[in-house]
Amino acid sequence: MKKPHICEILDKQELTENTFDMVVSFPQSALPGQFIHVLCGEGVLLRRPMSICDAGRGWLRFIFDVRGEGTKRLAQHKIGDSLDILGPLGTGFNIEKKGEDTPIVLGGGIGIFPLLMLAKSLGKNTEAILGFRTKSLIIMEDEFNEACAHTHITTDDGSYGICGLVTDCLTNRISKGDVSSVYACGPMPMMKAVKKITEASGIYCELSLEQRMGCGIGACAVCVCKSNGEYLKVCQNGPVFDAREVDFDD
Amino acid sequence: MKKPHICEILDKQELTENTFDMVVSFPQSALPGQFIHVLCGEGVLLRRPMSICDAGRGWLRFIFDVRGEGTKRLAQHKIGDSLDILGPLGTGFNIEKKGEDTPIVLGGGIGIFPLLMLAKSLGKNTEAILGFRTKSLIIMEDEFNEACAHTHITTDDGSYGICGLVTDCLTNRISKGDVSSVYACGPMPMMKAVKKITEASGIYCELSLEQRMGCGIGACAVCVCKSNGEYLKVCQNGPVFDAREVDFDD
Amino acid sequence: MTDLSVNIAGVKLKNPIITASGTFGNGREISEYYDLSQLGAVCVKAITLKPRQGNPPPRIAETPSGILNSVGLQNGGIDYFLKYELPNLKRYDTKVIANISGSTVEENCELARRLGRDVDLIELNISCPNVKQGGVSFGTDPKIAAEITARVKESCAVPLIVKLSPNVTDITEIAKAAENAGADALSLINTLLGMKIDVNTRRPVLANNTGGLSGPAVKPVAVRMVWQVFLCTRLPIIGMGGIMTGEDAAEFMIAGASAVAVGTANLVTPTAALNVKNELVGYLEKRGIKNVSELIGSVLAY
Amino acid sequence: MTDLSVNIAGVKLKNPIITASGTFGNGREISEYYDLSQLGAVCVKAITLKPRQGNPPPRIAETPSGILNSVGLQNGGIDYFLKYELPNLKRYDTKVIANISGSTVEENCELARRLGRDVDLIELNISCPNVKQGGVSFGTDPKIAAEITARVKESCAVPLIVKLSPNVTDITEIAKAAENAGADALSLINTLLGMKIDVNTRRPVLANNTGGLSGPAVKPVAVRMVWQVFLCTRLPIIGMGGIMTGEDAAEFMIAGASAVAVGTANLVTPTAALNVKNELVGYLEKRGIKNVSELIGSVLAY
Ligand SMILES: Cc1cc2nc3c(=O)[nH]c(=O)nc-3n(C[C@H](O)[C@H](O)[C@H](O)COP(=O)(O)OP(=O)(O)OC[C@H]3O[C@@H](n4cnc5c(N)ncnc54)[C@H](O)[C@@H]3O)c2cc1C
Ligand SMILES: Cc1cc2nc3c(=O)[nH]c(=O)nc-3n(C[C@H](O)[C@H](O)[C@H](O)COP(=O)(O)OP(=O)(O)OC[C@H]3O[C@@H](n4cnc5c(N)ncnc54)[C@H](O)[C@@H]3O)c2cc1C
Ligand SMILES: Cc1cc2nc3c(=O)[nH]c(=O)nc-3n(C[C@H](O)[C@H](O)[C@H](O)COP(=O)(O)O)c2cc1C
Ligand SMILES: Cc1cc2nc3c(=O)[nH]c(=O)nc-3n(C[C@H](O)[C@H](O)[C@H](O)COP(=O)(O)O)c2cc1C
Ligand code: FES
Ligand code: FES
């Protein structure tokens, strides 16, 4: 039988003012694109979903931005404290589909967190396109450099790397040829653009979607997204979907 | 203007399995019988009233039993943590009335906590009568011994000191003469008996009452007790009342 | 051994713990966390005649000690339920309650007929605040509540539970109307209508603008209503609204409930209903209570 | 400088923050914590003709993110109010709202007449759940609500606010009834009727058995009702129910309130209303909102 895990916080780093990197003890193995569902502490009722950023034997890593009450409370935990964590949950990336040429992992904001483990799994010819608002918010660059053949960094204000959107960078990169597949995670407008770009060039694409969640396991039907005209559960059918099957227009 | 104080926990001891002794930094002076109103932490809305057990320049001490959510949360705080405390509040004991002979402080259970500072203020000829359920729950005996001419300990099961009720001990002590005044705090049935005993022997008596509180400052009128047929506010008119003015029968 | 069994309208539950409709799906996911045979009964997601899409997302928001949801009865329809979901549930040694949520009286009658004797109990949901047709509009007027109860009862081969809405001036009126119209049991409360607005975007957090409030926040309202209904009808009551612990379950039973349902807690922890059951057993054992039904309505009111 | 002023039925408040009746006494205690002139208005404890004892204690219980109270309108009566309390409040540069809670229509009219022009606004409490006579029974039937509003309005020399109960099936009906009967403003919500039982003693925690639920737990219900009432009447609304922070205040205003009242929060921290005001200013400044009244009803509903 499955059960919630009581996990010890093994490491905690503050990456930027608002972003925390946590490593916890974890008894199960996980696949890239899956997520965990975390009880944040006293005064916060529902769990909060967090992408698995990396995992290994006996440990799991996730990174989060402080947004509201839940993540604020979560960030108060210290090394040695315990967290009640459900997971791994959901259907992750389909790395069998990566193709023979260059797979691209593409993320903006908190969307970059699930991509590290994915990049590692996709193999050394993977390229990463990561978007940040500004230079001071750039994180994990070294780690992606390590995992990927090339890491393209974009900033909205041009303070580092390429000035502009990750999607422009993607269009550019695709035009240079040999992109076999795209795996993306980020805000909705970005995802919508990625779907359009990859569809236009006939490249296989998977999107990791976000939706406000309740149970996280498929029981409550609150976390839906539209797929081929039907509401599917992001926590169970996703969070990763074949881009062709995601309907954005409503 | 008055304001809630942010107080640092300077010391915390676990006296028995369920009883905690806390010393906090505190900028104001307090009188015996007054109380503080403490925010217990995340997930607990209302403050909880706690008698001031002792106080000095820059510090204040209170002792509490863990009963429900509020005190449980309060007990989780560690030395160095901050507490949001309102106080000192309420009208304390009237130590001018102690008379010339022997004043007696009398308490049962959590009712003994406000009596230490009182005993110290009443002077060396004070006697204490303290009731506990059983030997293992006895606390503060040394401190009362230090402050008082004599400390009578009763236990419900006779495992230490006098077997029986504090009120029997009181009757006994009064019969020996020279008791000038009685100051009592404890559960309602005990208070009722103390009022009866002191009234019968014409001894001045003050009772520190408990009632579930909201604001703690007299604004919300939830904490009433009946006094001469009227509802008075325990937090403002009390918690200490002249026993003659307390109506027990309803 | 503590006797945990309770009786709801002639159906014996091995213990008083039920899952609340809509928070448990059809049990497939939660059954991966514990054996559903440990529950007194399971109440499944609302069933409609045709498959139903539900409302657009976001459908959930957290509020102080509560949640708002605006799922809007998304489900696969009765055919799907009978063919795929019910057979799966029948594998467990527990009672099955079907929650029916038709948009019209006739649809509810049809649903009850189609369910026949294949489930143990039918719960008629006249209290969903998240749909435009039917739902709570059936549950806020005693006359309409009586009419729909009477009509659906005629189509029911098993005992009928009527699920009441808390969004009413006087819950006892609706409860009595349902009782007089032939309901065999009552369940309460469904969710309170609520709203949350994001002060940054000035948009409601739910795409449906409003949603149903559930969780610990509503428990005092639910306990009060269970007590009021206990005093004014003779029907067994399934109490719910914010039950997170065994003591919460005991509180509802002391107020008058014969059984209790665990809802929002399932969203927090999949094992919640089982935990509540185990804690309730602990509560009873600690106090030497031999029979859980001693709790029912035992409140010592002033 | 941000313009914080708002207008309630022709009375200009310097800012939209008011204390909620019954959580602030008559201001004496809280005035030791800050200068009451910093508030838009103060609303005093319910006033009755004769002094009133209120209900037996315990009168308060904590519930998840909320409290239950059963004070039952304890107060010193109108004579005491006019002689001792009002002159004290008049020393502050803030508007005074008198909350009247008579047991009969006639008593409320008499209270309004006695108050005359000595206060800035009168709030008619037809929503107290803790008294046997009057109280919420006036506020749950649109006809009765209309009648009492019309009658009291005739006796009012200042604008009349009608305070609505959330314990109703349809808040818009009562709101419209009060509007049509001449109310100048509406305030909502009063408390939801709730109950808590001690599972150790099986006794209700409140000696009155039930009490009124307030605090953050009820906020989603209150915001929803403010929005519904905003959509269906033209009256200014004083929103309340669980406001603890400046953002909560903003949420109510965005939903449709012209001003807000801070209640339960005063019980937690005496400076709560002032804190809410300061936080609201922070919220406005951060977003460059020059005029607080831009918020009113600005929700971008789906
Ligand atoms: C499958 C999945 C994986 C996720 N992985 C990560 C991750 O690895 N790192 C990370 O920082 N965040 C991740 N998120 C988002 C994260 O769950 C939310 O930021 C978090 O729940 C916010 O909780 P809160 O209480 O702090 O904020 P709330 O008070 O709940 O909300 C504050 C603001 O955060 C935003 N928000 C809230 N919930 C979500 C959500 N589910 N999706 C997107 N935005 C939301 C809204 O704009 C809201 O106004 C993930 C979400 C999902 C669904
Ligand atoms: C003026 C005053 C001074 C006090 N001083 C002390 C003190 O020095 N040390 C100490 O341990 N306690 C003291 N108390 C009691 C203390 O405030 C309560 O035990 C506490 O509020 C319980 O909070 P809780 O959330 O833990 O329990 P809750 O969950 O609120 O209640 C648990 C149980 O505790 C009891 N209880 C709750 N509130 C009160 C109350 N106000 N008075 C008596 N019993 C109550 C009830 O039996 C209740 O069932 C004092 C109370 C008052 C009014
Ligand atoms: C996400 C969600 C979905 C729900 N769906 C239904 C439903 O389909 N039918 C129904 O009768 N009640 C539904 N409810 C109401 C619950 O069954 C229950 O009455 C209510 O949530 C109160 O209990 P709780 O506080 O334990 O959740 C739903 C509640 C939630 C939270
Ligand atoms: C202790 C207490 C006493 C109250 N007394 C009154 C009252 O006398 N008259 C009244 O109209 N409302 C009274 N109320 C209701 C509040 O004014 C307010 O409508 C309600 O509490 C919701 O706001 P809140 O959640 O901010 O407390 C009282 C509330 C509390 C908590
Ligand atoms: S969060 Fe419950 S079904 Fe996805
Ligand atoms: S607790 Fe508010 S008046 Fe005493």
Side-chain angles (χ1 to χ4, degrees), chain A residues 35 48-51 63-65 67-71 110 113 210-213 239, chain C residues 198:
Chain A
F35 69 97
R48 296 293 190 271
M50 292 293 156
S51 304
I63 302 184
F64 65 96
D65 275 13
R67 288 279 174 90
E69 278 310 306
T71 45
I110 61 173
F113 305 143
E210 283 191 8
Q211 188 48 268
R212 287 175 174 262
M213 288 185 179
Chain C
D198 183 326

Side-chain angles (χ1 to χ4, degrees), chain B residues 37 212-223 233-236, chain D residues 267:
Chain B
H37 212 26
R212 286 176 175 261
M213 288 186 179
C215 68
I217 63 169
C220 74
V222 305
C223 64
K233 298 170 196 162
V234 169
C235 72
Q236 193 177 43
Chain D
L267 274 60

Side-chain angles (χ1 to χ4, degrees), chain A residues 220 222, chain C residues 20-23 45-46 67 69 71 73 99 101 123 125 127 163 189-191 214-216 218 240-243 261-265 267:
Chain A
C220 73
V222 306
Chain C
S21 179
T23 63
K45 176 90 204 124
I67 66 169
N69 91 80
V71 171
L73 307 179
N99 180 278
S101 300
E123 180 176 66
N125 180 2
S127 44
K163 184 160 179 181
I189 60 173
N190 209 315
T191 54
S214 62
V218 308
M240 71 192 90
I243 295 177
V262 175
T264 300
L267 274 60

